[in-house]
Amino acid sequence: MLNSTLEAYSESAFADHNGKARHAAIKGTVELSNLIPPTVSYESRGNVVIIGAEDTITALADQFSDLNSVTLLATEKAEATQKRDNLYFAANVTVSGYLGAFDVNCEVEGSLTAVNLAKVAIARPCFDLVVDMTAEGLIAVEIPAPGYYAVGAGKAKVADVIEELPAMLGTFDKPKYFRLNPDLCAHSSRGVQGCDRCVDACPAGALSSTGHSIEINPYLCQGVGTCATACPTEAITYALPDPENTQHFVHRLLTRYLSEGGEAPTLLFFGNRDEAKVAQVLPTLPTSVIPVALEELATIGIDTWFSALAYGAHQVLLATNTAYIPATIDRVLRDELTIAQTFLTEMGYDAERIALFNFADAETFAGFDAALLQTADRLEGNKRAKLFAVLDALYAEASVKPAHSALLDNAPYGGVECKTDDCTLCMSCVAVCPTRALHAIGDRPGLLFVEQDCVQCGMCEKACPEKVITLKPGLTWDATARQSVRTVHEEEAACCTSCGKAFAPASMIKMLTEKLQGHSHFQGEALRRVAMCEDCRVRDIFTHLADDPESQLKM
């Protein structure tokens, strides 16, 4: 659609040098797409259940006579109840699943326990389609799964459902929008749970925690991309296309625009659902505004926005009608935008260099005349490496150079504070850290930290038995300080009283000795062994047993 719009105006409104450069850049840059995206399949036999007040669902039932079967589940009785073979009355209804596999469990009138309604009504394990006429809706997610129509809750229109449902028979394929790499995930380690940003960011209820790992249900996933945007480690990445291809596309697009003589480019990102609106307002915008269509606006985040500034964009606009997007997507987008604008303003730059775009402001929009950076080569590395590379370049040119900036509590950037007086250097924090931001010195008791690697997952804070570690969201601007290894805590080593080898922090051995000296199991020889290394302790135990096989050896 956008290409046809550009063609239509190429001889008139878009005929200046920026318009021609934009046209050449869009036409000459390969579009974002995967040749063969992975898919998941749904199988629907056309068995629908309609749930709601009796008078409402019975009035609607005849509209779906072409389907394989229609089951009516009344949550409220009508004044004059009609007798129908396919009508059931029930309380405490729960619905879960997706197209071709909906479980409807309820207490059917006359039954004392919950039953699977599909087994009772159509002798099948599940329903294929659900039309929910209840006022609040029975599936409490912002973006319902395919095959579920929350008409009563206002998430679907009756006329659209009547038109669409008869065609919902057969096999349907849908792209698998995400890739998951558990090795990069900062959600859990050694029984300690940490980052759950992706779960909180999903408006479709497709992500969940098993307690040990994150699971994604590909049948519930609707591809909005907020999980990938929220993930700080790239354990979850968007796959349609992946962010690497998106950023490479942005680099090629801006490079082509500038090489064709275009000036002062503004990049306008938008989701495919808003394509018609963008095409409508494009003629009223300056010809230096370059539209970039995405599967969903939230599939890209702060690293892509700042990369665009590094590639020569004077401004990055995020076009969406926020009044009509789910609250979760709006929250994720605004949190990411708040962090981006904080970075800009802390360095003295205008926050509107990265901003939401209101379609109503198209006629009065004016971009920035100057770029923030000279056009950079294509950035490489993971999303954090790219972001920090641009931030460091902006900091070098900034009029304001703060030493440190505080960020939102849930921001995936920051440091840790440690109450060293109470730290025993047990290394529980090191054991669970997913990025090695926290690690041991190695040859002596000590705890080291690298801020740039910290994603603020919180596992160190939760794993610390002394509760002396606290997360501190924020950013140290000096790249050398941010990337360097900082000593959090270091102390004298306790040396084995038998062989003299350093084997533990002195404070830990002192603390154990003081706590155990009054215990009946740690008297005499047993307490003495606390100050031995593991090898000497084992050797001493076996020596004692050899000398006195009948002894009641403790420890």
Side-chain angles (χ1 to χ4, degrees):
M1 179 181 293
L2 282 174
N3 275 343
S4 62
T5 301
L6 291 172
E7 292 284 359
Y9 285 89
S10 60
E11 298 299 326
S12 53
F14 298 162
D16 65 356
H17 69 283
N18 283 339
K20 291 177 179 178
R22 178 177 67 182
H23 188 258
I26 292 177
K27 295 290 286 185
T29 306
V30 177
E31 291 186 4
L32 302 174
S33 63
N34 288 345
L35 295 178
I36 308 177
T39 60
V40 293
S41 297
Y42 302 90
E43 184 71 32
S44 171
R45 295 172 177 81
N47 298 306
V48 63
V49 57
I50 309 176
I51 308 171
E54 181 185 356
D55 51 0
T56 302
I57 63 177
T58 53
L60 189 61
D62 293 341
Q63 301 288 341
F64 306 118
S65 58
D66 291 339
L67 293 173
N68 187 47
S69 71
V70 178
T71 301
L72 303 177
L73 178 59
T75 54
E76 299 176 25
K77 286 188 176 182
E79 290 185 6
T81 297
Q82 303 178 35
K83 183 170 178 58
R84 289 173 176 253
D85 292 338
N86 63 340
L87 176 61
Y88 298 85
F89 298 93
N92 299 323
V93 182
T94 62
V95 179
S96 62
Y98 47 84
L99 178 63
F102 282 106
D103 293 323
V104 178
N105 292 283
C106 55
E107 296 174 8
V108 176
E109 190 175 60
S111 173
L112 299 178
T113 59
V115 297
N116 180 334
L117 184 63
K119 290 183 177 180
V120 173
I122 58 175
R124 295 196 59 83
C126 55
F127 292 103
D128 300 301
L129 301 156
V130 175
V131 179
D132 185 352
M133 306 295 292
T134 62
E136 300 297 327
L138 295 169
I139 296 183
V141 295
E142 294 165 290
I143 300 181
Y148 175 79
Y149 302 89
V151 177
K155 294 180 180 178
K157 296 180 179 179
V158 173
D160 294 340
V161 174
I162 292 173
E163 182 179 350
E164 184 175 331
L165 246 63
M168 298 299 289
L169 286 84
T171 301
F172 303 88
D173 291 329
K174 182 197 72 171
K176 187 176 180 180
Y177 294 101
F178 62 88
R179 295 189 183 97
L180 176 63
N181 183 348
D183 292 339
L184 298 178
C185 186
H187 173 64
S188 177
S189 178
R190 300 173 184 260
V192 179
Q193 290 197 23
C195 176
D196 55 5
R197 293 179 177 92
C198 60
V199 177
D200 290 340
C202 181
L207 285 87
S208 60
S209 169
T210 66
H212 303 288
S213 62
I214 293 293
E215 286 190 348
I216 306 179
N217 187 326
Y219 295 95
L220 297 181
C221 174
Q222 301 300 297
V224 296
T226 44
C227 58
T229 296
C231 178
T233 64
E234 291 187 299
I236 300 176
T237 55
Y238 201 68
L240 199 69
D242 61 62
E244 187 84 358
N245 285 339
T246 302
Q247 291 191 10
H248 290 178
F249 173 84
V250 169
H251 179 261
R252 295 195 307 272
L253 182 69
L254 287 168
T255 300
R256 180 65 182 270
Y257 173 81
L258 295 170
S259 69
E260 293 285 343
E263 298 174 344
T266 293
L267 222 53
L268 178 69
F269 288 113
F270 64 96
N272 280 335
R273 71 183 67 199
D274 288 319
E275 186 172 41
K277 188 64 178 178
V278 172
Q280 178 185 339
V281 303
L282 196 60
T284 65
L285 289 169
T287 52
S288 57
V289 175
I290 308 172
V292 178
L294 303 165
E295 186 75 16
E296 294 282 352
L297 180 61
T299 59
I300 63 170
I302 192 169
D303 54 309
T304 302
W305 305 340
F306 274 96
S307 294
L309 295 179
Y311 296 151
H314 290 199
Q315 186 178 17
V316 173
L317 298 176
L318 313 172
T320 185
N321 193 331
T322 54
Y324 297 103
I325 65 174
T328 297
I329 299 177
D330 185 50
R331 173 179 54 80
V332 172
L333 193 61
R334 290 183 183 276
D335 283 353
E336 193 85 346
L337 182 61
T338 297
I339 294 172
Q341 292 186 332
T342 298
F343 286 152
L344 290 168
T345 55
E346 287 288 286
M347 292 184 282
Y349 297 117
D350 194 317
E352 293 300 303
R353 291 285 185 163
I354 301 175
L356 288 176
F357 174 71
N358 190 331
F359 292 119
D361 296 334
E363 292 187 6
T364 59
F365 172 78
F368 289 89
D369 293 331
L372 291 183
L373 293 171
Q374 297 298 317
T375 307
D377 294 332
R378 195 175 75 186
L379 300 168
E380 301 295 344
N382 61 28
K383 63 194 289 185
R384 289 174 72 86
K386 292 173 182 174
L387 173 62
F388 285 126
V390 182
L391 291 179
D392 291 342
L394 287 169
Y395 188 75
E397 302 294 329
S399 59
V400 180
K401 295 185 184 295
H404 185 271
S405 297
L407 295 173
L408 295 172
D409 285 345
N410 199 39
Y413 317 98
V416 296
E417 286 187 354
C418 178
K419 298 177 183 176
T420 55
D421 290 346
D422 297 323
C423 176
T424 61
L425 290 175
C426 67
M427 297 300 160
S428 295
C429 54
V430 170
V432 298
C433 181
T435 65
R436 290 199 78 247
L438 282 166
H439 57 281
I441 291 178
D443 59 349
R444 62 190 187 279
L447 180 62
L448 303 177
F449 178 72
V450 179
E451 179 184 318
Q452 184 151 312
D453 295 336
C454 180
V455 297
Q456 299 282 289
C457 66
M459 280 194 278
C460 59
E461 192 176 49
K462 294 177 181 177
C464 178
E466 280 80 32
K467 305 302 179 187
V468 298
I469 292 179
T470 305
L471 298 181
K472 285 293 179 181
L475 182 72
T476 297
W477 285 99
D478 180 78
T480 301
R482 192 179 63 242
Q483 296 167 7
S484 64
V485 178
R486 173 171 67 87
T487 301
V488 176
H489 182 38
E490 182 179 8
E491 65 177 60
E492 180 185 353
C495 295
C496 176
T497 55
S498 178
C499 70
K501 180 178 71 175
F503 73 101
S507 64
M508 179 182 290
I509 300 305
K510 181 176 181 292
M511 179 267 293
L512 287 174
T513 301
E514 290 174 350
K515 285 188 174 181
L516 296 175
Q517 61 185 357
H519 197 286
S520 60
H521 285 196
F522 289 90
Q523 300 298 313
E525 294 295 315
L527 187 62
R528 181 177 62 83
R529 294 189 186 100
V530 172
M532 290 183 181
C533 70
E534 184 177 1
D535 292 339
C536 290
R537 187 182 304 122
V538 172
R539 189 181 304 114
D540 191 73
I541 290 172
F542 278 104
T543 299
H544 190 95
L545 285 172
D547 293 342
D548 185 9
E550 309 240 342
S551 69
Q552 296 294 313
L553 186 66
K554 296 184 175 64
M555 186 180 166

